[in-house]
Amino acid sequence: MVLWIGFAALTAAVIAVITRPLLSARVQAAASRQADLAVYRDQMAEIEAERARGLIEAAEAESARAELGRRVLAVAGSGQGDDTGTTGIGERYRSWVSVASAVLIALAGAGVYLSLGAPDLPSKPHAARLTTPNQNATVADLIGRVEAELRAHPEDGRGWDVLAPVYLRLQRFAEAANAYAQAIRLQGESPKRLAGFAEATILDNDGIVTEPARKAYQRLLESQPDFAEARFWLAVALEQDGKGDAAADAYRALLASAPEDARWKEVVAQRLATVTRQPVEAGNENKAEDKTAAVQPNGLPESSETPRGPSAADIAAAQSMTAEQRSQFISQMVTQLAARLEQKPDDLAGWIRLVRAYTVLGRKDDALAALDRARKTFPDGSENRAALDGLAVELGLGT
């Protein structure tokens, strides 16, 4: 009912705006004529007063009165039919146009709504959606229920634990990372929660392995030291930090401990080849692309105990880039990291990663500029400033 009242009010407002000039034309014209007649009367009285004082001759006064008389007659004649009905045709025309406009606007609006809208669809308030039976509820309805429950009971760790993977599948990465963090805080750490938090954080940061993600994977390896996903992303973190030799060693160790039938070995081998700038064995590149296209989304054998991880197909696609494409890809990641640090300049790990990346890319001037901005962020004598000074010495960027 409220919706239809709104439609009616909107239609009335549009009709009023459109027809107002037509309906008010006569009133405006009459007001204008009355104003002209009042001016002419004042001028006539002024002429008579000047003649009485002897300021103008009688002949001049008579001529002026005659001219004003002609003007008065002209103005009076222009509105002669307003009260007598002789100009009723124009008035009736304006009235019919006003009525026709009102009817056409209402009919056009109703026609558009009937053709594009759904007038027979029953209303469904938010409260009603929250009480829809599960078998009839959409994913959005179910998420809305959990979110409403968490707003009322934010310490419900189980609710956060249920919502986090849903956010991740819907690519709402920032919300997924927060939900996993809340679940970890309230329910404690588990391989699934740690891996989910790390993955969501990495995806939310455009593929950059941030310090929180790195720590989550390190905690995961304490309980599952052979967990391949965590080992892989920690190796990627080393690569992003510019520690190519350490990253290569991590990739080699991952390959050495991989099962013979692991479907992600070729992906890691290509990553190792990229780091070491060595060609992959003949035939392996196409083999990797063929195999990774059919693996699970995390590139690992499916298991109820294995948390969902990064896309092996995406990693393989990155490895199949040409040298120029790969360089552009890396430069884009570095640019995104620099932009993020402009917004969050207190991220020491981010500054270290950015300076190392610039150095590896041979962009020494950019590395020096980033190091200078980082030093200005942290006060002299602090541990962060000392870490930056040590980084400068290590990379040969001065002291």
Side-chain angles (χ1 to χ4, degrees), residues 47-320:
I47 291 172
E48 188 63 27
E50 290 179 351
R51 187 192 65 80
R53 292 197 300 269
L55 297 177
I56 57 175
E57 299 291 337
E60 292 179 5
E62 187 63 27
S63 175
R65 281 197 298 270
E67 177 62 25
L68 285 176
R70 285 193 295 271
R71 293 182 184 181
V72 169
L73 290 175
V75 171
S78 65
Q80 184 178 6
D82 289 351
D83 298 325
T84 63
T86 57
T87 59
I89 295 177
E91 285 299 314
R92 285 196 297 272
Y93 173 76
R94 285 196 293 267
S95 299
W96 277 110
V97 170
S98 301
V99 173
S101 299
V103 173
L104 287 176
I105 291 172
L107 291 177
V112 171
Y113 176 70
L114 291 175
S115 61
L116 301 179
D120 297 331
L121 186 66
S123 61
K124 193 175 183 181
H126 181 68
R129 292 199 300 269
L130 295 180
T131 59
T132 303
N134 288 342
Q135 62 270 23
N136 299 326
T138 65
V139 174
D141 292 338
L142 296 175
I143 293 176
R145 293 181 188 179
V146 178
E147 290 175 336
E149 184 67 22
L150 288 174
R151 282 193 293 270
H153 306 284
E155 299 301 310
D156 180 9
R158 185 173 177 276
W160 290 111
D161 205 24
V162 169
L163 195 57
V166 177
Y167 279 150
L168 189 58
R169 293 190 190 97
L170 294 176
Q171 299 185 4
R172 296 164 62 174
F173 302 129
E175 293 169 292
N178 176 66
Y180 274 118
Q182 296 295 338
I184 291 172
R185 179 177 66 86
L186 298 169
Q187 298 283 92
E189 294 180 352
S190 72
K192 181 178 180 180
R193 294 178 193 126
L194 288 170
F197 169 77
E199 179 184 0
T201 303
I202 292 171
L203 293 175
D204 186 44
N205 287 274
D206 303 317
I208 300 295
V209 184
T210 61
E211 192 63 22
R214 187 199 307 259
K215 290 180 178 179
Y217 276 137
Q218 289 171 344
R219 292 284 296 171
L220 176 56
L221 289 179
E222 292 178 5
S223 60
Q224 294 189 9
D226 295 329
F227 188 60
E229 177 190 335
R231 295 173 64 188
F232 173 80
W233 280 113
L234 289 176
V236 172
L238 292 172
E239 186 179 345
Q240 291 175 350
D241 285 344
K243 300 178 181 179
D245 293 340
D249 291 341
Y251 289 134
R252 292 190 187 98
L254 184 56
L255 287 172
S257 61
E260 289 297 328
D261 59 347
R263 290 174 290 182
W264 43 264
K265 288 176 62 176
E266 289 82 0
V267 176
V268 179
Q270 286 202 358
R271 196 77 189 183
L272 174 60
T274 301
V275 174
T276 59
R277 303 295 191 272
Q278 295 177 357
V280 182
E281 294 181 11
N284 274 4
E285 185 172 8
N286 292 334
K287 182 180 178 183
E289 292 178 1
D290 292 341
K291 285 191 174 184
T292 54
V295 298
Q296 297 297 325
N298 58 357
L300 301 173
E302 186 174 12
S303 168
S304 59
E305 296 299 323
T306 301
R308 181 176 174 272
S311 169
D314 291 343
I315 298 171
Q319 306 315 312
S320 64

Side-chain angles (χ1 to χ4, degrees), residues 349-371:
W351 284 113
I352 293 176
R353 186 176 298 114
L354 182 62
V355 173
R356 287 187 183 277
Y358 280 143
T359 304
V360 171
L361 293 173
R363 296 164 58 176
K364 185 175 180 179
D365 291 341
D366 291 332
L368 288 170
L371 182 62

Side-chain angles (χ1 to χ4, degrees), residues 363-396:
R363 296 164 58 176
K364 185 175 180 179
D365 291 341
D366 291 332
L368 288 170
L371 182 62
D372 182 62
R373 290 198 301 273
R375 281 172 165 166
K376 290 179 180 178
T377 302
F378 303 104
D380 291 335
S382 64
E383 294 182 1
N384 292 341
R385 185 63 176 270
L388 292 171
D389 292 341
L391 177 67
V393 174
E394 175 188 347
L395 300 179

